Short mmCIF file of all heavy atoms in Angstrom, two decimals:
data_model
loop_
_atom_site.label_atom_id
_atom_site.label_comp_id
_atom_site.label_asym_id
_atom_site.label_seq_id
_atom_site.Cartn_x
_atom_site.Cartn_y
_atom_site.Cartn_z
N LEU A 249 126.38 92.52 68.09
CA LEU A 249 125.46 93.57 67.95
C LEU A 249 125.70 94.58 69.04
O LEU A 249 125.79 94.30 70.23
CB LEU A 249 124.02 93.06 68.04
CG LEU A 249 123.52 92.06 66.91
CD1 LEU A 249 122.32 91.38 67.34
CD2 LEU A 249 123.41 92.82 65.65
N ARG A 250 125.78 95.93 68.57
CA ARG A 250 126.09 97.01 69.52
C ARG A 250 125.21 98.19 69.15
O ARG A 250 125.12 98.64 68.04
CB ARG A 250 127.53 97.38 69.45
CG ARG A 250 128.35 96.22 69.92
CD ARG A 250 129.87 96.44 69.77
NE ARG A 250 130.56 95.21 70.05
CZ ARG A 250 131.52 95.09 70.97
NH1 ARG A 250 131.94 96.11 71.69
NH2 ARG A 250 132.07 93.93 71.21
N ARG A 251 124.47 98.73 70.18
CA ARG A 251 123.51 99.77 69.93
C ARG A 251 123.79 100.98 70.89
O ARG A 251 124.22 100.86 72.02
CB ARG A 251 122.08 99.29 70.23
CG ARG A 251 120.92 100.20 69.90
CD ARG A 251 119.71 99.75 70.52
NE ARG A 251 119.62 100.11 71.90
CZ ARG A 251 118.81 99.45 72.82
NH1 ARG A 251 118.03 98.47 72.38
NH2 ARG A 251 118.81 99.83 74.05
N MET A 252 123.53 102.17 70.31
CA MET A 252 123.61 103.39 71.13
C MET A 252 122.67 104.49 70.50
O MET A 252 122.16 104.31 69.40
CB MET A 252 125.06 103.92 71.17
CG MET A 252 125.60 104.33 69.89
SD MET A 252 127.30 105.02 69.97
CE MET A 252 127.05 106.50 70.89
N LEU A 253 122.52 105.58 71.25
CA LEU A 253 121.76 106.69 70.75
C LEU A 253 122.63 107.61 70.00
O LEU A 253 123.73 108.03 70.55
CB LEU A 253 121.04 107.40 71.89
CG LEU A 253 120.02 106.58 72.70
CD1 LEU A 253 119.46 107.41 73.94
CD2 LEU A 253 118.88 106.07 71.83
N VAL A 254 122.18 108.19 68.86
CA VAL A 254 122.91 109.16 68.09
C VAL A 254 122.02 110.32 67.72
O VAL A 254 120.81 110.09 67.60
CB VAL A 254 123.54 108.57 66.87
CG1 VAL A 254 124.46 107.38 67.18
CG2 VAL A 254 122.46 108.11 65.84
N PRO A 255 122.53 111.52 67.53
CA PRO A 255 121.72 112.59 67.16
C PRO A 255 120.99 112.42 65.83
O PRO A 255 121.63 111.87 64.93
CB PRO A 255 122.63 113.82 67.11
CG PRO A 255 124.01 113.23 66.93
CD PRO A 255 123.99 111.95 67.66
N ALA A 256 119.77 112.88 65.78
CA ALA A 256 118.94 112.61 64.55
C ALA A 256 119.16 113.59 63.46
O ALA A 256 119.12 113.34 62.32
CB ALA A 256 117.50 112.58 64.89
N GLY A 257 119.53 114.92 63.77
CA GLY A 257 119.72 115.88 62.77
C GLY A 257 119.36 117.31 63.25
O GLY A 257 119.05 117.42 64.48
N PRO A 258 119.23 118.29 62.42
CA PRO A 258 118.93 119.64 62.80
C PRO A 258 117.50 119.72 63.46
O PRO A 258 116.56 119.10 63.11
CB PRO A 258 118.91 120.39 61.48
CG PRO A 258 119.86 119.59 60.57
CD PRO A 258 119.62 118.22 60.92
N VAL A 259 117.49 120.53 64.52
CA VAL A 259 116.29 120.73 65.33
C VAL A 259 115.80 122.16 65.26
O VAL A 259 116.58 123.08 65.19
CB VAL A 259 116.58 120.37 66.75
CG1 VAL A 259 115.44 120.81 67.70
CG2 VAL A 259 116.76 118.81 66.85
N VAL A 260 114.47 122.34 65.17
CA VAL A 260 113.89 123.74 65.17
C VAL A 260 113.29 123.84 66.54
O VAL A 260 112.44 123.08 67.04
CB VAL A 260 112.86 123.90 64.06
CG1 VAL A 260 112.00 125.20 64.30
CG2 VAL A 260 113.51 123.89 62.74
N VAL A 261 113.62 124.91 67.20
CA VAL A 261 113.04 125.32 68.55
C VAL A 261 112.31 126.68 68.47
O VAL A 261 112.78 127.65 68.00
CB VAL A 261 114.19 125.45 69.58
CG1 VAL A 261 113.67 126.04 70.94
CG2 VAL A 261 114.82 124.10 69.81
N PHE A 262 111.02 126.58 68.96
CA PHE A 262 110.15 127.80 69.04
C PHE A 262 110.32 128.36 70.42
O PHE A 262 109.99 127.70 71.43
CB PHE A 262 108.74 127.44 68.68
CG PHE A 262 108.52 127.19 67.27
CD1 PHE A 262 108.85 125.92 66.71
CD2 PHE A 262 108.03 128.10 66.37
CE1 PHE A 262 108.61 125.66 65.38
CE2 PHE A 262 107.80 127.84 65.02
CZ PHE A 262 108.17 126.60 64.49
N GLY A 263 110.72 129.65 70.58
CA GLY A 263 110.74 130.31 71.81
C GLY A 263 109.40 130.47 72.45
O GLY A 263 108.41 130.65 71.72
N ALA A 264 109.32 130.37 73.79
CA ALA A 264 108.07 130.57 74.48
C ALA A 264 107.84 131.99 74.82
O ALA A 264 108.77 132.74 75.22
CB ALA A 264 108.02 129.65 75.71
N SER A 265 106.58 132.48 74.92
CA SER A 265 106.29 133.82 75.26
C SER A 265 106.40 134.03 76.79
O SER A 265 106.86 135.11 77.25
CB SER A 265 104.89 134.19 74.95
OG SER A 265 103.97 133.40 75.63
N ASN A 266 106.10 133.02 77.63
CA ASN A 266 106.05 133.31 79.08
C ASN A 266 107.39 133.00 79.80
O ASN A 266 107.48 133.32 80.96
CB ASN A 266 104.98 132.40 79.70
CG ASN A 266 105.14 130.94 79.44
OD1 ASN A 266 105.71 130.46 78.50
ND2 ASN A 266 104.53 130.14 80.36
N PHE A 267 108.35 132.42 79.11
CA PHE A 267 109.67 132.21 79.66
C PHE A 267 110.69 132.71 78.68
O PHE A 267 111.23 131.95 77.88
CB PHE A 267 109.94 130.77 80.00
CG PHE A 267 109.30 130.27 81.27
CD1 PHE A 267 107.98 129.72 81.15
CD2 PHE A 267 109.96 130.37 82.48
CE1 PHE A 267 107.30 129.32 82.41
CE2 PHE A 267 109.30 129.92 83.63
CZ PHE A 267 108.01 129.35 83.61
N PRO A 268 111.08 133.99 78.73
CA PRO A 268 112.05 134.54 77.69
C PRO A 268 113.40 134.01 77.77
O PRO A 268 114.18 134.15 76.81
CB PRO A 268 112.06 136.07 78.10
CG PRO A 268 111.61 136.16 79.50
CD PRO A 268 110.65 135.05 79.73
N PHE A 269 113.71 133.30 78.85
CA PHE A 269 115.10 132.62 78.91
C PHE A 269 115.03 131.16 79.00
O PHE A 269 115.48 130.40 78.20
CB PHE A 269 115.91 133.28 80.09
CG PHE A 269 116.14 134.73 80.07
CD1 PHE A 269 115.50 135.59 80.96
CD2 PHE A 269 116.83 135.21 79.02
CE1 PHE A 269 115.69 136.95 80.91
CE2 PHE A 269 117.05 136.63 78.94
CZ PHE A 269 116.49 137.46 79.91
N ALA A 270 114.32 130.65 80.00
CA ALA A 270 114.38 129.18 80.38
C ALA A 270 113.76 128.30 79.35
O ALA A 270 114.05 127.13 79.15
CB ALA A 270 113.82 128.94 81.72
N PHE A 271 112.79 128.87 78.55
CA PHE A 271 112.10 128.02 77.53
C PHE A 271 112.12 128.71 76.16
O PHE A 271 111.29 128.57 75.30
CB PHE A 271 110.61 127.86 77.86
CG PHE A 271 110.42 126.76 78.91
CD1 PHE A 271 110.48 127.01 80.30
CD2 PHE A 271 110.20 125.43 78.64
CE1 PHE A 271 110.26 126.10 81.28
CE2 PHE A 271 110.00 124.41 79.54
CZ PHE A 271 110.07 124.83 80.85
N SER A 272 113.21 129.50 75.94
CA SER A 272 113.35 130.25 74.72
C SER A 272 114.71 129.96 74.05
O SER A 272 115.05 128.82 73.96
CB SER A 272 113.09 131.73 74.91
OG SER A 272 111.70 131.89 75.21
N THR A 273 115.39 131.03 73.64
CA THR A 273 116.54 130.90 72.76
C THR A 273 117.58 129.92 73.18
O THR A 273 118.09 129.14 72.39
CB THR A 273 117.12 132.30 72.53
OG1 THR A 273 116.10 133.20 72.22
CG2 THR A 273 118.11 132.27 71.36
N ALA A 274 118.03 130.03 74.46
CA ALA A 274 118.99 129.09 75.00
C ALA A 274 118.39 128.18 76.07
O ALA A 274 119.11 127.70 76.96
CB ALA A 274 120.23 129.81 75.55
N GLY A 275 117.11 128.05 76.08
CA GLY A 275 116.34 127.29 77.05
C GLY A 275 116.56 125.75 76.95
O GLY A 275 117.47 125.25 76.30
N GLY A 276 115.63 125.05 77.62
CA GLY A 276 115.80 123.58 77.75
C GLY A 276 115.80 122.87 76.48
O GLY A 276 116.50 121.81 76.24
N ASP A 277 114.92 123.27 75.46
CA ASP A 277 114.89 122.58 74.21
C ASP A 277 116.22 122.73 73.51
O ASP A 277 116.76 121.77 73.00
CB ASP A 277 113.77 123.14 73.30
CG ASP A 277 112.42 122.70 73.79
OD1 ASP A 277 112.26 121.83 74.67
OD2 ASP A 277 111.36 123.24 73.30
N THR A 278 116.70 123.93 73.40
CA THR A 278 118.00 124.20 72.76
C THR A 278 119.20 123.47 73.51
O THR A 278 120.03 122.85 72.84
CB THR A 278 118.32 125.71 72.73
OG1 THR A 278 117.24 126.33 71.92
CG2 THR A 278 119.68 126.02 72.01
N ALA A 279 119.25 123.65 74.83
CA ALA A 279 120.33 122.98 75.54
C ALA A 279 120.34 121.51 75.32
O ALA A 279 121.39 120.92 75.19
CB ALA A 279 120.15 123.34 77.04
N SER A 280 119.17 120.86 75.42
CA SER A 280 119.10 119.38 75.30
C SER A 280 119.43 118.98 73.89
O SER A 280 120.15 117.96 73.72
CB SER A 280 117.74 118.87 75.70
OG SER A 280 116.73 119.49 74.92
N ALA A 281 119.06 119.78 72.90
CA ALA A 281 119.39 119.37 71.49
C ALA A 281 120.96 119.56 71.24
O ALA A 281 121.52 118.61 70.70
CB ALA A 281 118.52 120.27 70.59
N LEU A 282 121.52 120.61 71.70
CA LEU A 282 122.94 120.80 71.55
C LEU A 282 123.72 119.73 72.32
O LEU A 282 124.73 119.21 71.84
CB LEU A 282 123.33 122.13 72.01
CG LEU A 282 122.86 123.40 71.20
CD1 LEU A 282 123.23 124.65 71.88
CD2 LEU A 282 123.43 123.33 69.76
N ALA A 283 123.25 119.37 73.44
CA ALA A 283 123.87 118.19 74.26
C ALA A 283 123.80 116.93 73.48
O ALA A 283 124.78 116.15 73.51
CB ALA A 283 123.20 118.11 75.61
N ALA A 284 122.73 116.70 72.79
CA ALA A 284 122.57 115.50 72.06
C ALA A 284 123.48 115.41 70.80
O ALA A 284 123.71 114.32 70.28
CB ALA A 284 121.07 115.34 71.61
N GLY A 285 123.96 116.59 70.35
CA GLY A 285 124.75 116.60 69.11
C GLY A 285 124.00 117.08 67.96
O GLY A 285 124.47 117.05 66.79
N ALA A 286 122.87 117.73 68.19
CA ALA A 286 122.04 118.35 67.11
C ALA A 286 122.35 119.82 66.96
O ALA A 286 122.68 120.42 67.89
CB ALA A 286 120.58 118.18 67.43
N THR A 287 122.28 120.25 65.76
CA THR A 287 122.30 121.72 65.49
C THR A 287 120.90 122.27 65.73
O THR A 287 119.86 121.52 65.60
CB THR A 287 122.81 122.01 64.10
OG1 THR A 287 122.10 121.25 63.15
CG2 THR A 287 124.31 121.70 63.93
N VAL A 288 120.77 123.59 65.92
CA VAL A 288 119.48 124.18 66.30
C VAL A 288 119.23 125.49 65.57
O VAL A 288 120.15 126.33 65.34
CB VAL A 288 119.52 124.48 67.85
CG1 VAL A 288 118.15 125.23 68.22
CG2 VAL A 288 119.61 123.20 68.73
N VAL A 289 117.96 125.52 65.07
CA VAL A 289 117.51 126.81 64.48
C VAL A 289 116.41 127.33 65.48
O VAL A 289 115.41 126.61 65.71
CB VAL A 289 116.99 126.65 63.07
CG1 VAL A 289 116.33 128.00 62.57
CG2 VAL A 289 118.05 126.21 62.17
N VAL A 290 116.63 128.47 66.05
CA VAL A 290 115.68 129.07 66.98
C VAL A 290 114.76 129.98 66.28
O VAL A 290 115.21 130.91 65.60
CB VAL A 290 116.41 129.71 68.13
CG1 VAL A 290 115.41 130.50 69.08
CG2 VAL A 290 117.31 128.85 68.90
N LYS A 291 113.48 129.76 66.45
CA LYS A 291 112.46 130.74 65.99
C LYS A 291 112.15 131.69 67.21
O LYS A 291 111.54 131.27 68.14
CB LYS A 291 111.19 130.07 65.57
CG LYS A 291 110.01 130.97 65.30
CD LYS A 291 110.20 132.04 64.24
CE LYS A 291 108.87 132.75 63.84
NZ LYS A 291 108.31 133.49 65.04
N GLY A 292 112.71 132.94 67.16
CA GLY A 292 112.49 133.86 68.29
C GLY A 292 110.98 134.15 68.43
O GLY A 292 110.26 134.39 67.45
N HIS A 293 110.55 134.29 69.66
CA HIS A 293 109.18 134.73 69.91
C HIS A 293 108.94 136.21 69.66
O HIS A 293 109.77 137.03 70.21
CB HIS A 293 108.74 134.29 71.37
CG HIS A 293 107.24 134.24 71.47
ND1 HIS A 293 106.50 135.37 71.54
CD2 HIS A 293 106.44 133.14 71.51
CE1 HIS A 293 105.16 134.99 71.63
NE2 HIS A 293 105.19 133.70 71.59
N PRO A 294 107.93 136.57 69.00
CA PRO A 294 107.78 138.04 68.73
C PRO A 294 107.42 138.84 69.97
O PRO A 294 107.49 140.09 69.94
CB PRO A 294 106.56 138.03 67.70
CG PRO A 294 105.87 136.73 67.90
CD PRO A 294 106.94 135.77 68.25
N ALA A 295 107.10 138.23 71.07
CA ALA A 295 106.80 138.92 72.30
C ALA A 295 108.03 139.53 72.91
O ALA A 295 107.94 140.42 73.78
CB ALA A 295 106.05 138.06 73.31
N HIS A 296 109.18 138.94 72.68
CA HIS A 296 110.44 139.44 73.25
C HIS A 296 111.55 139.32 72.28
O HIS A 296 112.55 138.64 72.51
CB HIS A 296 110.78 138.81 74.59
CG HIS A 296 110.59 137.33 74.62
ND1 HIS A 296 111.48 136.42 74.01
CD2 HIS A 296 109.62 136.55 75.07
CE1 HIS A 296 111.02 135.18 74.20
NE2 HIS A 296 109.91 135.17 74.82
N PRO A 297 111.50 140.01 71.13
CA PRO A 297 112.52 139.85 70.05
C PRO A 297 113.92 140.32 70.40
O PRO A 297 114.85 139.65 70.02
CB PRO A 297 111.83 140.69 68.92
CG PRO A 297 110.96 141.70 69.57
CD PRO A 297 110.38 140.96 70.74
N ARG A 298 114.04 141.46 71.14
CA ARG A 298 115.40 141.99 71.47
C ARG A 298 116.02 141.06 72.48
O ARG A 298 117.21 140.72 72.33
CB ARG A 298 115.32 143.38 72.01
CG ARG A 298 116.63 143.94 72.33
CD ARG A 298 116.58 145.45 72.58
NE ARG A 298 117.95 145.90 72.88
CZ ARG A 298 118.42 146.10 74.05
NH1 ARG A 298 117.59 145.95 75.13
NH2 ARG A 298 119.65 146.54 74.36
N THR A 299 115.24 140.57 73.47
CA THR A 299 115.83 139.65 74.44
C THR A 299 116.31 138.39 73.72
O THR A 299 117.42 137.90 74.02
CB THR A 299 114.69 139.28 75.46
OG1 THR A 299 114.25 140.45 76.03
CG2 THR A 299 115.30 138.32 76.48
N SER A 300 115.56 137.84 72.81
CA SER A 300 115.95 136.65 72.11
C SER A 300 117.19 136.85 71.34
O SER A 300 118.13 136.02 71.33
CB SER A 300 114.82 136.17 71.20
OG SER A 300 115.04 134.96 70.64
N LEU A 301 117.29 137.92 70.62
CA LEU A 301 118.45 138.28 69.84
C LEU A 301 119.72 138.46 70.76
O LEU A 301 120.83 137.97 70.30
CB LEU A 301 118.20 139.51 68.95
CG LEU A 301 119.27 139.85 67.96
CD1 LEU A 301 119.53 138.70 67.00
CD2 LEU A 301 118.90 141.16 67.21
N LEU A 302 119.61 139.14 71.89
CA LEU A 302 120.73 139.28 72.75
C LEU A 302 121.22 137.99 73.26
O LEU A 302 122.47 137.76 73.38
CB LEU A 302 120.31 140.19 73.88
CG LEU A 302 120.15 141.66 73.60
CD1 LEU A 302 119.48 142.41 74.75
CD2 LEU A 302 121.48 142.29 73.25
N VAL A 303 120.35 137.04 73.56
CA VAL A 303 120.72 135.72 74.02
C VAL A 303 121.47 135.03 72.82
O VAL A 303 122.55 134.33 73.04
CB VAL A 303 119.59 134.85 74.52
CG1 VAL A 303 120.03 133.43 74.82
CG2 VAL A 303 118.96 135.51 75.75
N PHE A 304 121.00 135.08 71.69
CA PHE A 304 121.64 134.44 70.46
C PHE A 304 122.94 135.09 70.25
O PHE A 304 123.99 134.28 69.91
CB PHE A 304 120.71 134.71 69.23
CG PHE A 304 121.43 134.15 68.00
CD1 PHE A 304 121.72 132.90 67.83
CD2 PHE A 304 121.63 135.13 66.93
CE1 PHE A 304 122.35 132.44 66.60
CE2 PHE A 304 122.28 134.72 65.77
CZ PHE A 304 122.58 133.44 65.58
#
Side-chain angles (χ1 to χ4, degrees):
L249 296 164
R250 299 173 184 236
R251 187 193 77 203
M252 65 179 291
L253 300 175
V254 301
V259 167
V260 170
V261 170
F262 288 81
S265 65
N266 59 332
F267 282 91
F269 299 115
F271 283 85
S272 288
T273 311
D277 288 347
T278 298
S280 57
L282 292 174
T287 50
V288 176
V289 176
V290 175
K291 167 63 170 65
H293 199 283
H296 42 79
R298 182 166 179 263
T299 304
S300 185
L301 188 58
L302 287 170
V303 173
F304 173 61

